[in-house]
């Protein structure tokens, strides 16, 4: 089974590509969703986070107060390492479970949707790294139009992420999404053929 790491900056079209690959028959594993799932209320993961960081990181409803936890860990590398030491093994275990389910179901291609693949140097975990690419200006316009986020906020996100060249340097395959949605669909069709050939 082929393990594909899919990434792309905000507004690149990564989610669009991952949905299309799912429609072709890939199993899609969403890294952000798993990271949320392992610390949902009632999980050992959340218990461990509270044991480490205190009840102050809980929201009134009993779930994790992410902005609060973010303030704590992003100001302090040791605290961030402590959080990662709790969350990363849980994410790895849950990913492995999903992977086993995919193998049991006869899936040939598993796509890991990993927004920060390049930033976190995770390329070596995958057989193939696929980068969805479009110029920064194009991505900004898409996000402003589709999500109503202020333009300057999107630029700030882009500046905080890996730049385009760094992402392209980490890619085994690039999906150019600088064109129309129809062009993207055609490129994803070719990508799927390519992935199946490698699987
Ligand atoms: P990401 O997951 O990389 O942030 P999305 O797939 O959510 O990006 O795409 C951002 C927005 O741009 C969505 O509203 C999507 O429908 C739209 N979009 C994606 N590709 C194109 C394209 N080629 N042309 C126009 N709009 C696009």
């Amino acid at each position: 089974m082929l393990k594909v790491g899919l990434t792309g900056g905000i507004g690149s079209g990564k989610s669009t590509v991952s949905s299309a690959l799912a429609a072709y028959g890939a199993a899609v594993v969403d890294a952000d969703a798993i990271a949320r799932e392992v610390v949902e209320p009632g999980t050992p993961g959340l218990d461990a986070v509270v044991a480490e960081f205190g009840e102050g990181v809980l929201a009134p409803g009993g779930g994790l107060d992410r902005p609060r936890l973010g303030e704590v860990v992003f100001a302090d590398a040791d605290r961030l390492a402590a959080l990662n030491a709790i969350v990363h093994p849980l994410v790895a275990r849950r990913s492995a479970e999903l992977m086993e389910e995919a193998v049991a179901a006869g899936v040939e291609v598993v796509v890991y949707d990993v927004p920060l693949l390049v930033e976190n140097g995770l390329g070596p975990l995958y057989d193939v790294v696929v980068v969805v690419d479009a110029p920064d200006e194009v991505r900004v316009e898409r996000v402003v139009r589709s999500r109503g986020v202020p333009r300057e906020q999107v630029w700030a996100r882009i500046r905080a992420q890996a730049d385009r060249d760094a992402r392209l340097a980490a890619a085994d395959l690039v999906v150019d999404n600088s064109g129309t949605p129809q062009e993207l669909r055609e490129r994803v069709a070719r990508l799927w053929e390519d992935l199946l050939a490698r699987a």
Side-chain angles (χ1 to χ4, degrees):
M1 191 184 43
L2 191 73
K3 289 170 73 173
V4 178
L6 177 69
T7 195
I10 180 171
S12 61
K14 178 177 62 63
S15 307
T16 307
V17 171
S18 106
S19 306
L21 292 173
Y24 279 118
V28 175
V29 176
D30 179 334
D32 283 352
I34 295 176
R36 286 192 298 271
E37 186 188 314
V38 299
V39 290
E40 269 168 11
T43 58
L46 185 58
D47 293 345
V49 170
V50 172
E52 177 71 35
F53 292 92
E55 306 257 334
V57 298
L58 288 177
L64 200 55
D65 183 343
R66 289 173 180 282
R68 178 79 199 95
L69 183 60
E71 283 168 23
V72 175
V73 298
F74 289 117
D76 184 338
D78 288 341
R79 302 308 282 146
L80 178 59
L83 178 63
N84 285 340
I86 295 169
V87 175
H88 283 178
L90 296 170
V91 169
R93 194 186 314 155
R94 182 68 187 131
S95 301
E97 268 172 29
L98 291 167
M99 180 92 167
E100 281 163 28
E101 286 172 24
V103 171
V107 169
E108 284 182 273
V109 178
V110 177
V111 174
Y112 290 83
D113 182 333
V114 188
L116 299 181
L117 185 151
V118 174
E119 289 80 350
N120 291 334
L122 302 177
L125 294 178
Y126 307 100
D127 301 318
V128 183
V129 171
V130 175
V131 167
V132 185
D133 177 64
D136 292 354
E137 295 74 18
V138 172
R139 292 160 50 203
V140 170
E141 291 315 313
R142 282 182 190 152
V143 174
V144 168
R145 200 160 4 100
S146 67
R147 295 176 212 166
V149 182
R151 187 167 271 99
E152 194 38 53
Q153 214 169 303
V154 185
W155 276 115
R157 266 294 278 288
I158 286 180
R159 283 192 295 269
Q161 294 181 339
D163 66 25
R164 205 177 164 196
D165 290 343
R167 227 181 253 113
L168 292 175
D172 297 304
L173 296 171
V174 176
V175 177
D176 172 10
N177 186 24
S178 57
T180 64
Q182 176 57 28
E183 284 172 317
L184 179 62
R185 278 191 287 278
E186 289 162 14
R187 290 192 168 121
V188 176
R190 284 203 294 277
L191 170 67
W192 179 246
E193 293 304 320
D194 198 341
L195 294 176
L196 282 183
R198 290 169 185 244

